[in-house]
Amino acid sequence: MSFNQPRFRVRSQGGFGSFSGSPPPRDLLILLGVIFVTFSLQFFAASAGFIQLVRLSPSVLSGFVWQVITYPFVGYGGASLWFLLELLILYWFGRDVFYRLGRKGFWRFLLTTTIVAGCVGVIAEFVIRLAAPSLASPYAFHLMQGQTALVTVMIAAFATLYGNASILLFFVIPIKARWFLWLEVLFLFFGFLNAKDYPGFIGGCASVFIAFALLTPGGIGPVLRKWRLRLEQLVLQAKLSGRRRRRKFDVIDGDGGNGKDRWVH
């Protein structure tokens, strides 16, 4: 099944910052506002309990299934400037993705990606608790909460839609947008090394792949076939190289097998 155009309709052919002259999307501003409010509510005793109920946690395995839907809209982390920087990054990338997909396409893409990725993370947590309880981490889902999950999804969407655009990594190093798909996986891996968050790492990587699959023209099928053909080509080349190396030592009798005149290829 393909979730591409016309389901996710292309509105324009811009790139990072190409809509700087356009008014900020109201939907995106509302999204940022919801994340900021929920982030603030976690610091008050009267509302902290509610925030825990809607944030993705191992409690989802006990029946709190709504967390798979609500977790991207609940701000996460400590009170620091990093939270504001994440919101700014979310706005930068989300603005271009919103104008590219349109309002309906944007929300369809966002909900599909986060819900499916959340389900993948929950399945990973269930398997870990069932098969290897010692690997269960107190920081489960740390890598795919709130604005962090949305930033991951929006960067993956931008990297897929605007693969040839240039972005300044760390505001210094120019790099093609398409490489951010792999960079996101690398950053998730570094976060995993620190927190040992298996479900968060698996769910985060799933969100990158799902975003890429949904927005790739023609669907993910042609891409997977291309990768399969490349893999088959590499395997064939390895086999041929191995045969050539073995043939260098093949011994052929030149006199009917008496062993006097022999040639080595």
Side-chain angles (χ1 to χ4, degrees):
M1 181 170 58
S2 174
F3 290 87
N4 301 281
Q5 285 78 0
R7 176 167 292 194
F8 291 107
R9 185 154 51 100
V10 176
R11 292 291 186 89
S12 179
Q13 295 293 330
F16 191 62
S18 62
F19 296 102
S20 57
S22 303
R26 183 176 61 179
D27 294 59
L28 186 57
L29 294 179
I30 293 174
L31 177 60
L32 295 176
V34 169
I35 294 174
F36 184 84
V37 170
T38 53
F39 169 81
S40 302
L41 290 177
Q42 70 177 327
F43 297 102
F44 298 92
S47 53
F50 168 75
I51 296 300
Q52 291 301 322
L53 287 177
V54 294
R55 180 175 286 158
L56 189 59
S57 70
S59 299
V60 71
L61 298 176
S62 301
F64 295 4
V65 294
W66 60 82
Q67 293 180 352
V68 175
I69 301 174
T70 58
Y71 79 94
F73 310 106
V74 184
Y76 182 76
S80 68
L81 292 178
W82 175 250
F83 170 74
L84 296 179
L85 180 59
E86 284 185 307
L87 292 187
L88 181 59
I89 294 174
L90 177 58
Y91 172 75
W92 280 341
F93 288 97
R95 176 190 58 191
D96 287 337
V97 173
F98 182 90
Y99 278 115
R100 183 74 178 263
L101 298 180
R103 185 180 187 183
K104 291 183 179 180
F106 175 84
W107 286 110
R108 187 183 296 117
F109 164 78
L110 182 63
L111 292 175
T112 301
T113 306
T114 54
I115 291 174
V116 175
C119 291
V120 171
V122 170
I123 293 173
E125 176 70 1
F126 174 76
V127 172
I128 289 172
R129 288 177 175 267
L130 185 65
S134 60
L135 297 180
S137 171
Y139 302 103
F141 305 109
H142 168 76
L143 297 176
M144 53 180 306
Q145 295 284 4
Q147 74 283 355
T148 302
L150 293 180
V151 167
T152 300
V153 169
M154 287 301 136
I155 292 179
F158 184 92
T160 304
L161 294 170
Y162 302 99
N164 291 322
S166 295
I167 303 176
L168 294 180
L169 180 63
F170 304 124
F171 304 100
V172 176
I173 307 172
I175 188 171
K176 292 293 184 182
R178 60 177 175 269
W179 288 105
F180 272 74
L181 292 168
W182 299 106
L183 286 174
E184 284 198 294
V185 174
L186 180 62
F187 293 154
L188 284 167
F189 180 70
F190 286 153
F192 164 76
L193 294 178
N194 184 47
K196 301 300 187 295
D197 177 12
Y198 288 93
F201 174 69
I202 295 173
C205 290
S207 69
V208 175
F209 177 80
I210 295 165
F212 174 73
L214 293 179
L215 300 179
T216 298
I220 192 62
V223 177
L224 293 179
R225 284 194 294 271
K226 183 178 180 181
W227 290 350
R228 177 176 59 82
L229 291 174
R230 286 183 178 178
L231 179 60
E232 291 177 353
Q233 184 180 15
L234 290 174
V235 172
L236 180 60
Q237 289 176 349
K239 289 182 178 179
L240 292 176
S241 298
R243 290 178 180 177
R244 282 195 292 267
R245 286 194 296 270
R246 287 194 297 271
R247 288 187 63 184
K248 291 179 180 179
F249 301 98
D250 289 341
V251 178
I252 302 175
D253 291 334
D255 62 346
N258 59 16
K260 293 182 179 180
D261 297 321
R262 310 211 309 175
W263 302 85
V264 179
H265 287 270

